[in-house]
Amino acid sequence: MNLHPTPARRALLDQVAAGNVFRTQQFLRGGHVREWDSNDATGRRVTAAMVELVAAGWVTLPAFAPVDRTRRRWQPTRLGRAVNAVRLMDYGTHAVAETGPVDEPTYLGQVTGDLNRPSRWVAEVGPNAETGLRRPEAVAALHRMAVQVLVDLEHDAREGASS
């Protein structure tokens, strides 16, 4: 599932990374179990939103800790961390994907107008490009490719550290 990182989803992902979102189980009579997801920081239930984040592969739920068999904290996946690390800066005539500190960002890619096809756009990240797209599709492709670059870099860094 390719999920758009809206401000609300990013905020929930931040709460997951901070360890504030958990799943609670309540054991009922007859062996039935009721489960729901909550945010400690806001006190709200976020079960429907967590279903979306799980389907997109942004978060994972670890097994129960032996100490507490009724609560589990959600954790961001590599993909979830990368989604939160990419910033899209939309300037109207073009858009840029970047990561890192705001005052010294690392450039990841851009969306520009297709010179050969008016009203079509090109999304480029490194050597990869998708052409002939409408602007919203191009911005979504830029975000998707930039996130994948960060996931690949993290994977390569872990592989290098383990060798």
Side-chain angles (χ1 to χ4, degrees):
M1 175 183 212
N2 196 4
L3 197 61
H4 181 70
T6 63
R9 288 180 183 136
R10 282 182 179 271
L12 182 55
L13 201 50
D14 285 340
Q15 290 296 317
V16 168
N20 292 332
V21 182
F22 60 91
R23 170 162 290 174
T24 300
Q25 280 189 333
Q26 181 180 24
F27 298 96
L28 305 172
R29 292 182 192 164
H32 299 286
V33 178
R34 189 172 79 176
E35 293 184 326
W36 65 90
D37 300 313
S38 302
N39 184 337
D40 270 347
T42 63
R44 302 181 104 179
R45 290 199 179 176
V46 292
T47 305
M50 293 308 293
V51 168
E52 290 179 336
L53 298 186
V54 168
W58 294 3
V59 295
T60 186
L61 191 61
F64 279 113
V67 194
D68 187 0
R69 301 218 28 100
T70 59
R71 285 179 98 183
R72 292 185 285 177
R73 300 233 176 245
W74 286 95
Q75 298 174 347
T77 61
R78 276 190 217 166
L79 182 60
R81 287 189 298 276
V83 164
N84 238 7
V86 171
R87 283 188 308 278
L88 291 180
M89 308 302 287
D90 195 339
Y91 300 106
T93 57
H94 68 287
V96 175
E98 60 187 29
T99 190
V102 176
D103 55 344
E104 291 183 29
T106 301
Y107 169 85
L108 296 171
Q110 66 181 355
V111 166
T112 55
D114 190 334
L115 299 175
N116 299 320
R117 297 174 68 192
S119 78
R120 294 297 178 174
W121 296 80
V122 178
E124 299 173 283
V125 174
N128 303 317
E130 292 188 24
T131 62
L133 303 171
R134 292 189 198 102
R135 194 165 199 305
E137 295 165 342
V139 172
L142 172 64
H143 187 265
R144 184 180 65 252
M145 289 189 295
V147 165
Q148 189 57 52
V149 163
L150 290 183
V151 169
D152 292 346
L153 286 173
E154 182 180 337
H155 180 269
D156 292 349
R158 286 181 185 212
E159 288 291 314
S162 66
S163 340

